[in-house]
Amino acid sequence: METFWEAFKRHGVSRRDFIKFATTLTGFMGLAPSMVPTVIRAMETKPRVPVIWIHGLECTCCSESFIRSATPLVSDVVLSMISLEYDDTLSAAAGDAVEEHRRRIIKEYWGNYILAVEGNPPLGEEGMFCVVNGKPFLEHLKESAEGAKAVIAWGSCASWGCVQAARPNPTTAVSIDKVIKDKPVVKVPGCPPIAEVMTGVIMYMVLFGKIPPLDSQGRPKMFYGNRIHDTCYRRAFFNAGQFVERFDDEGAKKGWCLYKVGCRGPTTYNQCGSMRWYNGLSYPIQAGHGCIGCSEKDFWDNGPFYERLTHIPVPRQEADADKVGAVAAAAAVGGAVVHGILSKIRNSKKREEV
Amino acid sequence: MRIYVFSPGLRIWHWVNFLTILVLFGTGLYIGNPFFSGPPGIEATHAYGEGLTMGFIRKIHFLAGYILLASFIFRVIIGIFSKRDRMVLPRFWTRDYWSSLKEITLKYLLLKKDSDGREYIRNACARTAYPLIYLAILFMIVTGFGMYGLSNPGGFWSSLLGWVVWALGGEFQTHMWHRWVAWLIIVAAILHVYFVIREEIIRRNGEISSMINGYKYFEKEPADIGDLK
């Protein structure tokens, strides 16, 4: 296969624009400026990598996000930088023709292609809750993963399970690393992940021929190293104790911190605060809505989204930790007083004389 | 009979612990649910260091957290080196522990008089409850510093305790656990204070002053006197 530089030349891109592009890319991958020559060298010498992109139990929001990538433009990625050989959502071909092509690519590039998985396999009913090409997605996934060099888990579905794995998880949907155990899996969580994060991860793997450095949870460190809270532009209001109490109050108009209306920024690891969405246009908190923690494990089960503390299941009551705690503390004080009085009576001298 | 129960180190530790837990609980309640606003009419960037702001309250919380950690380590060290300070540990393997537990349960259920049966410097109920409270405090330290450290991933605290956060099911769940156990400690503290007052009133043994001067008074020789000598 041709190298990136060759593909760029074929598309009539000038050397100057090529170097500009490589510099931008270096920044987006979270690398130091001193790495620019390395990236250029890699783009001149590394052949394009075939990618097989499969879809399981999911909503395609990851693909929707990916095609809105601005830096690098997704068209650049798809058309010139990777060789996207199979994607049942984006490809023009369908049915047996495209499935045959997938099998051919797996055989031809055995051990060299990247498998990108969007969505996850449901294990219940022998995988029949999600069927691709007449077979359970579970088999489709295992077959495609067998010859892959590395696997990318797109989005919270593939990384953690997401909404379909929320309690009570009727289809027994699981993250893909529960099924694929013998390959390196890069988790790129988010519902969906930020487009530039997706292209950044794929570019890193293509250019350096290895998976990016991962944290203990299997996420690329350069994109999931910080809490949204710690990079949020509204953080000053948090530190100053200026909070939105209701979505229609004065604080909301002034753009204060959304902590009290349930923002999950303090417990969520993502790039929303620094990279933002749609080429840096905005992100949920900037739009005035708290973060729901979509890139965190089991975020659907950590509701309600508009309150700081989860509800504790108390019959016929809405209660959180503070309510239950205060009631328990009051009960302890009351119990102590009653027990104290009874103890005093029981141990009094009068009764001893009787 | 006057018996020297609490070493000076333990007494100092007790009151440091009391103060830090009080401060940690108060500030923690605010951090999880900020029930009053910071100074109004000030631009947020400059409000950071002014008055009772979230930033200031969090700073106090972290400072108290470090003191709690240091005092916990101190408590473990004096427990290792001095027999007197190891009296909180239960002795499940002895018959005496179980008979004492039965006896004290009957007393607390008011089925038996407190003056009946044997006397203990520290009864089996206390020996069961205290280790659990120590564990709860350790849990708070571990989860607290785990969350604290993750604002600097790869730093000292996150590499030491970051795993705790993931073991509890993510950072949000860790926040919730931290809060539930905080309330648990407060409930335990209320009961602790109650039983101290109860002991003082019923037996008049200097229970309350013992944590200041170190001495308790007994009518007969306590059954667990061997733990002191």
PDB file of all heavy atoms in Angstrom, chain A residues 217 225 227 238-239 241 259-260 269 302 322 336 339-340 343 346-347, chain B residues 31 34 38 54-55 108 110 114 147 150 153 166 171 173 179 194 198:
ATOM      1  N   GLN A 217      -7.292   1.678  33.158  1.00  0.00           N
ATOM      2  CA  GLN A 217      -8.588   1.234  32.668  1.00  0.00           C
ATOM      3  C   GLN A 217      -8.582   0.951  31.162  1.00  0.00           C
ATOM      4  O   GLN A 217      -9.622   0.707  30.569  1.00  0.00           O
ATOM      5  CB  GLN A 217      -9.657   2.295  32.985  1.00  0.00           C
ATOM      6  CG  GLN A 217      -9.775   2.618  34.444  1.00  0.00           C
ATOM      7  CD  GLN A 217     -10.062   1.380  35.266  1.00  0.00           C
ATOM      8  OE1 GLN A 217     -11.087   0.744  35.091  1.00  0.00           O
ATOM      9  NE2 GLN A 217      -9.138   1.016  36.146  1.00  0.00           N
ATOM     10  N   GLY A 225      -6.727  11.515  30.543  1.00  0.00           N
ATOM     11  CA  GLY A 225      -5.897  11.701  31.721  1.00  0.00           C
ATOM     12  C   GLY A 225      -6.473  12.687  32.728  1.00  0.00           C
ATOM     13  O   GLY A 225      -6.060  12.712  33.874  1.00  0.00           O
ATOM     14  N   ARG A 227      -9.862  14.942  34.544  1.00  0.00           N
ATOM     15  CA  ARG A 227     -11.294  15.111  34.755  1.00  0.00           C
ATOM     16  C   ARG A 227     -11.778  16.321  33.965  1.00  0.00           C
ATOM     17  O   ARG A 227     -11.042  17.305  33.812  1.00  0.00           O
ATOM     18  CB  ARG A 227     -11.589  15.395  36.222  1.00  0.00           C
ATOM     19  CG  ARG A 227     -11.266  14.283  37.146  1.00  0.00           C
ATOM     20  CD  ARG A 227     -11.511  14.775  38.564  1.00  0.00           C
ATOM     21  NE  ARG A 227     -11.166  13.758  39.527  1.00  0.00           N
ATOM     22  CZ  ARG A 227     -10.412  13.984  40.594  1.00  0.00           C
ATOM     23  NH1 ARG A 227      -9.937  15.180  40.818  1.00  0.00           N
ATOM     24  NH2 ARG A 227     -10.152  13.018  41.438  1.00  0.00           N
ATOM     25  N   PHE A 238     -16.950  27.189  40.598  1.00  0.00           N
ATOM     26  CA  PHE A 238     -16.994  26.113  41.596  1.00  0.00           C
ATOM     27  C   PHE A 238     -16.150  26.503  42.809  1.00  0.00           C
ATOM     28  O   PHE A 238     -16.610  26.457  43.942  1.00  0.00           O
ATOM     29  CB  PHE A 238     -16.477  24.810  40.975  1.00  0.00           C
ATOM     30  CG  PHE A 238     -16.317  23.679  41.958  1.00  0.00           C
ATOM     31  CD1 PHE A 238     -17.405  22.890  42.319  1.00  0.00           C
ATOM     32  CD2 PHE A 238     -15.083  23.388  42.526  1.00  0.00           C
ATOM     33  CE1 PHE A 238     -17.270  21.849  43.222  1.00  0.00           C
ATOM     34  CE2 PHE A 238     -14.934  22.353  43.437  1.00  0.00           C
ATOM     35  CZ  PHE A 238     -16.034  21.582  43.777  1.00  0.00           C
ATOM     36  N   ASN A 239     -14.928  26.926  42.539  1.00  0.00           N
ATOM     37  CA  ASN A 239     -14.030  27.287  43.645  1.00  0.00           C
ATOM     38  C   ASN A 239     -14.562  28.475  44.436  1.00  0.00           C
ATOM     39  O   ASN A 239     -14.353  28.578  45.641  1.00  0.00           O
ATOM     40  CB  ASN A 239     -12.639  27.607  43.099  1.00  0.00           C
ATOM     41  CG  ASN A 239     -11.889  26.353  42.713  1.00  0.00           C
ATOM     42  OD1 ASN A 239     -12.229  25.261  43.161  1.00  0.00           O
ATOM     43  ND2 ASN A 239     -10.897  26.497  41.871  1.00  0.00           N
ATOM     44  N   GLY A 241     -17.659  29.072  44.931  1.00  0.00           N
ATOM     45  CA  GLY A 241     -18.937  28.732  45.549  1.00  0.00           C
ATOM     46  C   GLY A 241     -20.127  29.392  44.890  1.00  0.00           C
ATOM     47  O   GLY A 241     -21.113  29.708  45.553  1.00  0.00           O
ATOM     48  N   TYR A 259     -22.535  22.250  39.241  1.00  0.00           N
ATOM     49  CA  TYR A 259     -22.317  21.164  40.213  1.00  0.00           C
ATOM     50  C   TYR A 259     -23.593  20.747  40.939  1.00  0.00           C
ATOM     51  O   TYR A 259     -23.902  19.579  41.074  1.00  0.00           O
ATOM     52  CB  TYR A 259     -21.277  21.667  41.212  1.00  0.00           C
ATOM     53  CG  TYR A 259     -20.797  20.693  42.247  1.00  0.00           C
ATOM     54  CD1 TYR A 259     -19.963  19.650  41.908  1.00  0.00           C
ATOM     55  CD2 TYR A 259     -21.139  20.859  43.589  1.00  0.00           C
ATOM     56  CE1 TYR A 259     -19.486  18.779  42.870  1.00  0.00           C
ATOM     57  CE2 TYR A 259     -20.659  19.993  44.555  1.00  0.00           C
ATOM     58  CZ  TYR A 259     -19.835  18.961  44.193  1.00  0.00           C
ATOM     59  OH  TYR A 259     -19.364  18.107  45.155  1.00  0.00           O
ATOM     60  N   LYS A 260     -24.371  21.747  41.391  1.00  0.00           N
ATOM     61  CA  LYS A 260     -25.552  21.434  42.210  1.00  0.00           C
ATOM     62  C   LYS A 260     -26.729  20.914  41.407  1.00  0.00           C
ATOM     63  O   LYS A 260     -27.669  20.364  41.979  1.00  0.00           O
ATOM     64  CB  LYS A 260     -25.996  22.684  43.002  1.00  0.00           C
ATOM     65  CG  LYS A 260     -25.112  22.939  44.191  1.00  0.00           C
ATOM     66  CD  LYS A 260     -25.684  24.019  45.069  1.00  0.00           C
ATOM     67  CE  LYS A 260     -26.751  23.489  45.997  1.00  0.00           C
ATOM     68  NZ  LYS A 260     -27.191  24.527  46.952  1.00  0.00           N
ATOM     69  N   TYR A 269     -13.740  11.465  33.125  1.00  0.00           N
ATOM     70  CA  TYR A 269     -12.456  11.645  32.447  1.00  0.00           C
ATOM     71  C   TYR A 269     -12.684  11.737  30.947  1.00  0.00           C
ATOM     72  O   TYR A 269     -13.131  10.771  30.331  1.00  0.00           O
ATOM     73  CB  TYR A 269     -11.513  10.486  32.778  1.00  0.00           C
ATOM     74  CG  TYR A 269     -11.099  10.528  34.221  1.00  0.00           C
ATOM     75  CD1 TYR A 269     -11.962  10.101  35.217  1.00  0.00           C
ATOM     76  CD2 TYR A 269      -9.884  11.065  34.595  1.00  0.00           C
ATOM     77  CE1 TYR A 269     -11.611  10.193  36.544  1.00  0.00           C
ATOM     78  CE2 TYR A 269      -9.515  11.159  35.916  1.00  0.00           C
ATOM     79  CZ  TYR A 269     -10.391  10.717  36.890  1.00  0.00           C
ATOM     80  OH  TYR A 269     -10.040  10.813  38.208  1.00  0.00           O
ATOM     81  N   ASN A 302     -25.870   5.597  37.457  1.00  0.00           N
ATOM     82  CA  ASN A 302     -25.491   6.553  38.493  1.00  0.00           C
ATOM     83  C   ASN A 302     -26.401   7.777  38.518  1.00  0.00           C
ATOM     84  O   ASN A 302     -25.962   8.888  38.745  1.00  0.00           O
ATOM     85  CB  ASN A 302     -24.031   6.984  38.305  1.00  0.00           C
ATOM     86  CG  ASN A 302     -23.064   5.865  38.613  1.00  0.00           C
ATOM     87  OD1 ASN A 302     -23.403   4.945  39.356  1.00  0.00           O
ATOM     88  ND2 ASN A 302     -21.881   5.913  38.047  1.00  0.00           N
ATOM     89  N   ASP A 322     -27.494  11.964  52.455  1.00  0.00           N
ATOM     90  CA  ASP A 322     -27.616  12.944  53.532  1.00  0.00           C
ATOM     91  C   ASP A 322     -28.907  12.762  54.326  1.00  0.00           C
ATOM     92  O   ASP A 322     -28.919  12.864  55.543  1.00  0.00           O
ATOM     93  CB  ASP A 322     -27.551  14.368  52.967  1.00  0.00           C
ATOM     94  CG  ASP A 322     -26.126  14.732  52.585  1.00  0.00           C
ATOM     95  OD1 ASP A 322     -25.238  13.893  52.830  1.00  0.00           O
ATOM     96  OD2 ASP A 322     -25.914  15.820  52.048  1.00  0.00           O
ATOM     97  N   ALA A 336     -30.327   6.569  72.025  1.00  0.00           N
ATOM     98  CA  ALA A 336     -29.398   6.703  73.141  1.00  0.00           C
ATOM     99  C   ALA A 336     -30.109   7.287  74.366  1.00  0.00           C
ATOM    100  O   ALA A 336     -29.933   6.807  75.491  1.00  0.00           O
ATOM    101  CB  ALA A 336     -28.217   7.574  72.735  1.00  0.00           C
ATOM    102  N   HIS A 339     -32.549   4.638  75.736  1.00  0.00           N
ATOM    103  CA  HIS A 339     -31.783   3.557  76.356  1.00  0.00           C
ATOM    104  C   HIS A 339     -31.105   4.035  77.633  1.00  0.00           C
ATOM    105  O   HIS A 339     -31.042   3.299  78.624  1.00  0.00           O
ATOM    106  CB  HIS A 339     -30.748   3.046  75.342  1.00  0.00           C
ATOM    107  CG  HIS A 339     -30.075   1.778  75.766  1.00  0.00           C
ATOM    108  ND1 HIS A 339     -28.864   1.766  76.403  1.00  0.00           N
ATOM    109  CD2 HIS A 339     -30.446   0.482  75.632  1.00  0.00           C
ATOM    110  CE1 HIS A 339     -28.515   0.510  76.646  1.00  0.00           C
ATOM    111  NE2 HIS A 339     -29.457  -0.300  76.186  1.00  0.00           N
ATOM    112  N   GLY A 340     -30.675   5.287  77.593  1.00  0.00           N
ATOM    113  CA  GLY A 340     -30.019   5.857  78.766  1.00  0.00           C
ATOM    114  C   GLY A 340     -30.957   5.936  79.954  1.00  0.00           C
ATOM    115  O   GLY A 340     -30.592   5.542  81.067  1.00  0.00           O
ATOM    116  N   SER A 343     -31.669   2.486  81.195  1.00  0.00           N
ATOM    117  CA  SER A 343     -30.497   1.942  81.891  1.00  0.00           C
ATOM    118  C   SER A 343     -30.407   2.496  83.299  1.00  0.00           C
ATOM    119  O   SER A 343     -30.095   1.784  84.257  1.00  0.00           O
ATOM    120  CB  SER A 343     -29.216   2.299  81.146  1.00  0.00           C
ATOM    121  OG  SER A 343     -29.238   1.774  79.858  1.00  0.00           O
ATOM    122  N   ARG A 346     -33.004   0.867  85.428  1.00  0.00           N
ATOM    123  CA  ARG A 346     -32.664  -0.539  85.670  1.00  0.00           C
ATOM    124  C   ARG A 346     -31.549  -0.671  86.707  1.00  0.00           C
ATOM    125  O   ARG A 346     -31.545  -1.584  87.521  1.00  0.00           O
ATOM    126  CB  ARG A 346     -32.201  -1.153  84.332  1.00  0.00           C
ATOM    127  CG  ARG A 346     -31.781  -2.609  84.401  1.00  0.00           C
ATOM    128  CD  ARG A 346     -33.000  -3.511  84.507  1.00  0.00           C
ATOM    129  NE  ARG A 346     -32.639  -4.913  84.459  1.00  0.00           N
ATOM    130  CZ  ARG A 346     -32.308  -5.641  85.535  1.00  0.00           C
ATOM    131  NH1 ARG A 346     -32.302  -5.077  86.714  1.00  0.00           N
ATOM    132  NH2 ARG A 346     -32.007  -6.916  85.424  1.00  0.00           N
ATOM    133  N   ASN A 347     -30.608   0.291  86.677  1.00  0.00           N
ATOM    134  CA  ASN A 347     -29.458   0.182  87.555  1.00  0.00           C
ATOM    135  C   ASN A 347     -29.551   1.034  88.813  1.00  0.00           C
ATOM    136  O   ASN A 347     -28.570   1.206  89.530  1.00  0.00           O
ATOM    137  CB  ASN A 347     -28.187   0.567  86.786  1.00  0.00           C
ATOM    138  CG  ASN A 347     -27.816  -0.508  85.780  1.00  0.00           C
ATOM    139  OD1 ASN A 347     -27.389  -1.585  86.160  1.00  0.00           O
ATOM    140  ND2 ASN A 347     -28.034  -0.222  84.516  1.00  0.00           N
TER     141      ASN A 347
ATOM    142  N   ILE B  31     -18.980  20.135  50.740  1.00  0.00           N
ATOM    143  CA  ILE B  31     -18.393  19.846  49.429  1.00  0.00           C
ATOM    144  C   ILE B  31     -19.340  19.002  48.582  1.00  0.00           C
ATOM    145  O   ILE B  31     -19.522  19.246  47.394  1.00  0.00           O
ATOM    146  CB  ILE B  31     -17.022  19.151  49.596  1.00  0.00           C
ATOM    147  CG1 ILE B  31     -16.022  20.133  50.215  1.00  0.00           C
ATOM    148  CG2 ILE B  31     -16.494  18.640  48.269  1.00  0.00           C
ATOM    149  CD1 ILE B  31     -14.758  19.479  50.712  1.00  0.00           C
ATOM    150  N   PRO B  34     -23.207  21.826  48.378  1.00  0.00           N
ATOM    151  CA  PRO B  34     -22.931  23.199  48.836  1.00  0.00           C
ATOM    152  C   PRO B  34     -24.228  23.927  49.189  1.00  0.00           C
ATOM    153  O   PRO B  34     -24.933  24.403  48.307  1.00  0.00           O
ATOM    154  CB  PRO B  34     -22.272  23.851  47.621  1.00  0.00           C
ATOM    155  CG  PRO B  34     -22.074  22.777  46.620  1.00  0.00           C
ATOM    156  CD  PRO B  34     -22.952  21.639  46.967  1.00  0.00           C
ATOM    157  N   GLY B  38     -21.069  31.110  47.851  1.00  0.00           N
ATOM    158  CA  GLY B  38     -19.865  31.860  48.188  1.00  0.00           C
ATOM    159  C   GLY B  38     -20.173  33.346  48.218  1.00  0.00           C
ATOM    160  O   GLY B  38     -21.320  33.753  48.044  1.00  0.00           O
ATOM    161  N   MET B  54     -15.925  27.553  48.192  1.00  0.00           N
ATOM    162  CA  MET B  54     -15.701  26.126  47.977  1.00  0.00           C
ATOM    163  C   MET B  54     -14.207  25.820  47.965  1.00  0.00           C
ATOM    164  O   MET B  54     -13.752  24.845  48.557  1.00  0.00           O
ATOM    165  CB  MET B  54     -16.355  25.711  46.660  1.00  0.00           C
ATOM    166  CG  MET B  54     -16.183  24.257  46.313  1.00  0.00           C
ATOM    167  SD  MET B  54     -16.938  23.159  47.510  1.00  0.00           S
ATOM    168  CE  MET B  54     -18.289  22.488  46.600  1.00  0.00           C
ATOM    169  N   GLY B  55     -13.442  26.682  47.316  1.00  0.00           N
ATOM    170  CA  GLY B  55     -11.999  26.460  47.239  1.00  0.00           C
ATOM    171  C   GLY B  55     -11.366  26.410  48.619  1.00  0.00           C
ATOM    172  O   GLY B  55     -10.567  25.527  48.920  1.00  0.00           O
ATOM    173  N   TYR B 108     -26.632  -4.561  77.995  1.00  0.00           N
ATOM    174  CA  TYR B 108     -27.149  -3.496  77.132  1.00  0.00           C
ATOM    175  C   TYR B 108     -28.618  -3.715  76.781  1.00  0.00           C
ATOM    176  O   TYR B 108     -29.340  -2.777  76.480  1.00  0.00           O
ATOM    177  CB  TYR B 108     -26.305  -3.387  75.848  1.00  0.00           C
ATOM    178  CG  TYR B 108     -24.948  -2.728  76.084  1.00  0.00           C
ATOM    179  CD1 TYR B 108     -23.915  -2.882  75.177  1.00  0.00           C
ATOM    180  CD2 TYR B 108     -24.727  -1.948  77.214  1.00  0.00           C
ATOM    181  CE1 TYR B 108     -22.686  -2.291  75.386  1.00  0.00           C
ATOM    182  CE2 TYR B 108     -23.505  -1.356  77.441  1.00  0.00           C
ATOM    183  CZ  TYR B 108     -22.480  -1.521  76.519  1.00  0.00           C
ATOM    184  OH  TYR B 108     -21.273  -0.930  76.736  1.00  0.00           O
ATOM    185  N   LEU B 110     -30.614  -4.620  78.936  1.00  0.00           N
ATOM    186  CA  LEU B 110     -31.204  -4.331  80.248  1.00  0.00           C
ATOM    187  C   LEU B 110     -31.729  -5.582  80.934  1.00  0.00           C
ATOM    188  O   LEU B 110     -32.584  -5.522  81.799  1.00  0.00           O
ATOM    189  CB  LEU B 110     -32.335  -3.287  80.125  1.00  0.00           C
ATOM    190  CG  LEU B 110     -31.984  -2.010  79.360  1.00  0.00           C
ATOM    191  CD1 LEU B 110     -33.198  -1.131  79.215  1.00  0.00           C
ATOM    192  CD2 LEU B 110     -30.856  -1.265  80.040  1.00  0.00           C
ATOM    193  N   ASP B 114     -25.679  -3.716  85.366  1.00  0.00           N
ATOM    194  CA  ASP B 114     -24.297  -3.448  84.995  1.00  0.00           C
ATOM    195  C   ASP B 114     -23.312  -3.885  86.074  1.00  0.00           C
ATOM    196  O   ASP B 114     -22.169  -4.209  85.787  1.00  0.00           O
ATOM    197  CB  ASP B 114     -24.111  -1.955  84.693  1.00  0.00           C
ATOM    198  CG  ASP B 114     -24.503  -1.657  83.269  1.00  0.00           C
ATOM    199  OD1 ASP B 114     -25.664  -1.939  82.914  1.00  0.00           O
ATOM    200  OD2 ASP B 114     -23.646  -1.177  82.497  1.00  0.00           O
ATOM    201  N   MET B 147      -9.412   9.642  45.529  1.00  0.00           N
ATOM    202  CA  MET B 147     -10.104  10.653  44.703  1.00  0.00           C
ATOM    203  C   MET B 147      -9.264  11.919  44.583  1.00  0.00           C
ATOM    204  O   MET B 147      -9.166  12.512  43.514  1.00  0.00           O
ATOM    205  CB  MET B 147     -11.462  10.985  45.333  1.00  0.00           C
ATOM    206  CG  MET B 147     -12.428   9.834  45.309  1.00  0.00           C
ATOM    207  SD  MET B 147     -14.057  10.297  45.910  1.00  0.00           S
ATOM    208  CE  MET B 147     -13.781  10.607  47.621  1.00  0.00           C
ATOM    209  N   LEU B 150      -6.484  11.640  42.011  1.00  0.00           N
ATOM    210  CA  LEU B 150      -6.795  11.508  40.587  1.00  0.00           C
ATOM    211  C   LEU B 150      -6.888  12.851  39.859  1.00  0.00           C
ATOM    212  O   LEU B 150      -7.036  12.874  38.643  1.00  0.00           O
ATOM    213  CB  LEU B 150      -8.079  10.703  40.397  1.00  0.00           C
ATOM    214  CG  LEU B 150      -7.829   9.198  40.523  1.00  0.00           C
ATOM    215  CD1 LEU B 150      -9.127   8.431  40.565  1.00  0.00           C
ATOM    216  CD2 LEU B 150      -6.970   8.695  39.384  1.00  0.00           C
ATOM    217  N   PRO B 153      -3.276  12.566  37.674  1.00  0.00           N
ATOM    218  CA  PRO B 153      -3.067  11.154  37.324  1.00  0.00           C
ATOM    219  C   PRO B 153      -1.588  10.864  37.108  1.00  0.00           C
ATOM    220  O   PRO B 153      -0.873  11.662  36.508  1.00  0.00           O
ATOM    221  CB  PRO B 153      -3.841  10.990  36.026  1.00  0.00           C
ATOM    222  CG  PRO B 153      -4.721  12.176  35.933  1.00  0.00           C
ATOM    223  CD  PRO B 153      -4.031  13.280  36.662  1.00  0.00           C
ATOM    224  N   TRP B 166     -11.269   2.577  41.165  1.00  0.00           N
ATOM    225  CA  TRP B 166     -11.804   1.682  40.129  1.00  0.00           C
ATOM    226  C   TRP B 166     -12.398   0.436  40.758  1.00  0.00           C
ATOM    227  O   TRP B 166     -13.384  -0.105  40.259  1.00  0.00           O
ATOM    228  CB  TRP B 166     -10.712   1.332  39.127  1.00  0.00           C
ATOM    229  CG  TRP B 166     -10.063   2.571  38.610  1.00  0.00           C
ATOM    230  CD1 TRP B 166      -8.758   2.943  38.762  1.00  0.00           C
ATOM    231  CD2 TRP B 166     -10.697   3.653  37.902  1.00  0.00           C
ATOM    232  NE1 TRP B 166      -8.549   4.171  38.197  1.00  0.00           N
ATOM    233  CE2 TRP B 166      -9.705   4.625  37.672  1.00  0.00           C
ATOM    234  CE3 TRP B 166     -11.990   3.882  37.453  1.00  0.00           C
ATOM    235  CZ2 TRP B 166      -9.977   5.824  37.003  1.00  0.00           C
ATOM    236  CZ3 TRP B 166     -12.258   5.067  36.797  1.00  0.00           C
ATOM    237  CH2 TRP B 166     -11.259   6.013  36.582  1.00  0.00           C
ATOM    238  N   GLU B 171     -15.288   6.591  39.821  1.00  0.00           N
ATOM    239  CA  GLU B 171     -15.118   7.701  40.739  1.00  0.00           C
ATOM    240  C   GLU B 171     -16.443   8.182  41.325  1.00  0.00           C
ATOM    241  O   GLU B 171     -16.517   8.557  42.488  1.00  0.00           O
ATOM    242  CB  GLU B 171     -14.415   8.856  40.027  1.00  0.00           C
ATOM    243  CG  GLU B 171     -13.761   9.782  41.032  1.00  0.00           C
ATOM    244  CD  GLU B 171     -12.796  10.740  40.387  1.00  0.00           C
ATOM    245  OE1 GLU B 171     -12.255  10.410  39.331  1.00  0.00           O
ATOM    246  OE2 GLU B 171     -12.602  11.815  40.950  1.00  0.00           O
ATOM    247  N   GLN B 173     -19.121   6.382  42.020  1.00  0.00           N
ATOM    248  CA  GLN B 173     -19.483   5.447  43.090  1.00  0.00           C
ATOM    249  C   GLN B 173     -18.602   5.658  44.322  1.00  0.00           C
ATOM    250  O   GLN B 173     -19.069   5.533  45.449  1.00  0.00           O
ATOM    251  CB  GLN B 173     -19.362   3.998  42.588  1.00  0.00           C
ATOM    252  CG  GLN B 173     -20.487   3.579  41.672  1.00  0.00           C
ATOM    253  CD  GLN B 173     -21.846   3.652  42.340  1.00  0.00           C
ATOM    254  OE1 GLN B 173     -21.971   3.439  43.541  1.00  0.00           O
ATOM    255  NE2 GLN B 173     -22.868   3.990  41.580  1.00  0.00           N
ATOM    256  N   ARG B 179     -19.338   9.186  51.162  1.00  0.00           N
ATOM    257  CA  ARG B 179     -20.375   9.891  51.895  1.00  0.00           C
ATOM    258  C   ARG B 179     -21.150   8.959  52.820  1.00  0.00           C
ATOM    259  O   ARG B 179     -21.464   9.318  53.961  1.00  0.00           O
ATOM    260  CB  ARG B 179     -21.325  10.566  50.908  1.00  0.00           C
ATOM    261  CG  ARG B 179     -21.988  11.781  51.506  1.00  0.00           C
ATOM    262  CD  ARG B 179     -22.581  12.642  50.431  1.00  0.00           C
ATOM    263  NE  ARG B 179     -23.174  13.836  50.988  1.00  0.00           N
ATOM    264  CZ  ARG B 179     -22.526  14.956  51.222  1.00  0.00           C
ATOM    265  NH1 ARG B 179     -21.258  15.029  50.958  1.00  0.00           N
ATOM    266  NH2 ARG B 179     -23.155  16.002  51.720  1.00  0.00           N
ATOM    267  N   TYR B 194     -22.562   8.315  73.676  1.00  0.00           N
ATOM    268  CA  TYR B 194     -23.626   7.846  74.559  1.00  0.00           C
ATOM    269  C   TYR B 194     -23.111   6.807  75.555  1.00  0.00           C
ATOM    270  O   TYR B 194     -23.341   6.903  76.760  1.00  0.00           O
ATOM    271  CB  TYR B 194     -24.799   7.276  73.757  1.00  0.00           C
ATOM    272  CG  TYR B 194     -25.699   6.432  74.639  1.00  0.00           C
ATOM    273  CD1 TYR B 194     -26.373   7.009  75.724  1.00  0.00           C
ATOM    274  CD2 TYR B 194     -25.827   5.062  74.451  1.00  0.00           C
ATOM    275  CE1 TYR B 194     -27.144   6.252  76.573  1.00  0.00           C
ATOM    276  CE2 TYR B 194     -26.597   4.295  75.293  1.00  0.00           C
ATOM    277  CZ  TYR B 194     -27.254   4.898  76.354  1.00  0.00           C
ATOM    278  OH  TYR B 194     -28.016   4.141  77.215  1.00  0.00           O
ATOM    279  N   ARG B 198     -23.070   6.951  79.548  1.00  0.00           N
ATOM    280  CA  ARG B 198     -23.818   5.920  80.275  1.00  0.00           C
ATOM    281  C   ARG B 198     -22.914   5.245  81.320  1.00  0.00           C
ATOM    282  O   ARG B 198     -23.300   5.097  82.482  1.00  0.00           O
ATOM    283  CB  ARG B 198     -24.324   4.881  79.273  1.00  0.00           C
ATOM    284  CG  ARG B 198     -25.101   3.746  79.901  1.00  0.00           C
ATOM    285  CD  ARG B 198     -25.459   2.725  78.823  1.00  0.00           C
ATOM    286  NE  ARG B 198     -26.399   1.746  79.336  1.00  0.00           N
ATOM    287  CZ  ARG B 198     -26.034   0.654  80.004  1.00  0.00           C
ATOM    288  NH1 ARG B 198     -24.756   0.439  80.265  1.00  0.00           N
ATOM    289  NH2 ARG B 198     -26.946  -0.203  80.426  1.00  0.00           N
TER     290      ARG B 198
END
